[in-house]
Amino acid sequence: MSQKKKLPPLRQALVVGTVHTRSGLVAAVALPSRAVDCLEIRLDALAGSLPLLESTLPRLKFPLLLTARHPAEGGSGCLGTRDRAKLLARFLALAGGVDIELRSVHALGAVMTAAADAGLTRVVSFHDFQRTPSLSQLRSKLRAAWAAGADVVKIATTLRHPRDLAVLLELADAAGDGPVALMGMGPLGRVSRLALAAAGSCLNYGYLDRPQVPGQWPAARLKELIKGVES
């Protein structure tokens, strides 16, 4: 396996291209070098394509963020803790970072420790596909994720009303100097991703071949838009 590439500094709004299909993996190989800043490899969604992963991941020119998502937070294949841990460990030597849900940090504690020992970026995440919890509830998630050893806290919620976006914007302000990745899903997802990137979200996710959740931008287009806002 090739040497891992570290994620870029988190002091800027980075764009993450999500790879969750075989066609997305093929598209990632041909991606121009400045199209995204890093790639999220959804190991749960690609668990049936391990030979393809093993042959393709070393060829990718971007830092890799490995995710083996819990089924309750959008994971594919109903994978148990042991299978998810094996997937992450199998490709950890190629990773620049790992994303583990807040609910899984104890169950996947060995992966968290291995990631820390290897100097990888540890993203601790929370996803709500039904609603946007209250600001106080989300602040509690932030505190718990920092306490669990997060280098970045990622929170993705479903936005059904403009006030839901307001909650995430307030959360961005409340996060202080700690790196956070905040995004909305659903009808207001696209506008939220631009607004939250401008408000300090350091990891901003877009798709390569097809959306993974409602409200995503194509990753290359998201990079162009965020660069335009910053300039």
Side-chain angles (χ1 to χ4, degrees), residues 92-221:
L92 202 63
L94 287 173
V98 295
D99 178 339
I100 295 176
E101 308 84 14
L102 180 58
R103 70 169 72 221
S104 300
V105 290
H106 296 299
L108 296 177
V111 177
M112 287 285 287
T113 298
D117 291 344
L120 308 186
T121 299
R122 293 173 296 170
V123 179
V124 175
S125 58
F126 168 76
H127 312 80
D128 193 321
F129 290 88
Q130 303 301 319
R131 65 189 184 100
T132 296
S134 68
L135 181 60
S136 62
Q137 290 173 313
L138 294 178
R139 280 176 167 169
S140 178
K141 299 292 185 186
L142 275 181
R143 291 192 295 269
W146 296 131
D151 298 306
V152 183
V153 182
K154 174 190 172 189
I155 292 179
T157 69
T158 299
L159 307 181
R160 301 193 181 279
H161 306 282
R163 62 178 174 270
D164 294 333
L165 175 54
V167 168
L168 292 184
L169 288 167
E170 286 188 70
L171 185 65
D173 187 58
D177 295 330
V180 292
L182 305 175
M183 65 212 72
M185 301 177 284
L188 298 174
R190 284 198 167 195
V191 67
S192 79
R193 290 169 191 249
L194 297 179
L196 289 162
S201 175
C202 63
L203 299 176
N204 305 279
Y205 293 68
Y207 65 88
L208 296 190
D209 60 329
R210 59 183 176 84
Q212 191 173 26
V213 296
Q216 279 188 327
W217 290 91
R221 178 58 176 155

Side-chain angles (χ1 to χ4, degrees), residues 16-25 39-47 65-71 73-77 99 101 125 127 129 154 156 158 183-186 189-190 193 204-219:
V16 183
T18 61
V19 179
H20 57 101
T21 65
R22 290 174 65 93
S23 59
L25 195 57
L39 295 170
E40 179 192 47
I41 307 299
R42 282 291 301 269
L43 296 176
D44 54 296
L46 292 164
L65 180 61
L66 301 184
T67 303
R69 186 67 49 76
H70 192 290
E73 296 195 32
S76 300
D99 178 339
E101 308 84 14
S125 58
H127 312 80
F129 290 88
K154 174 190 172 189
T158 299
M183 65 212 72
M185 301 177 284
R190 284 198 167 195
R193 290 169 191 249
N204 305 279
Y205 293 68
Y207 65 88
L208 296 190
D209 60 329
R210 59 183 176 84
Q212 191 173 26
V213 296
Q216 279 188 327
W217 290 91

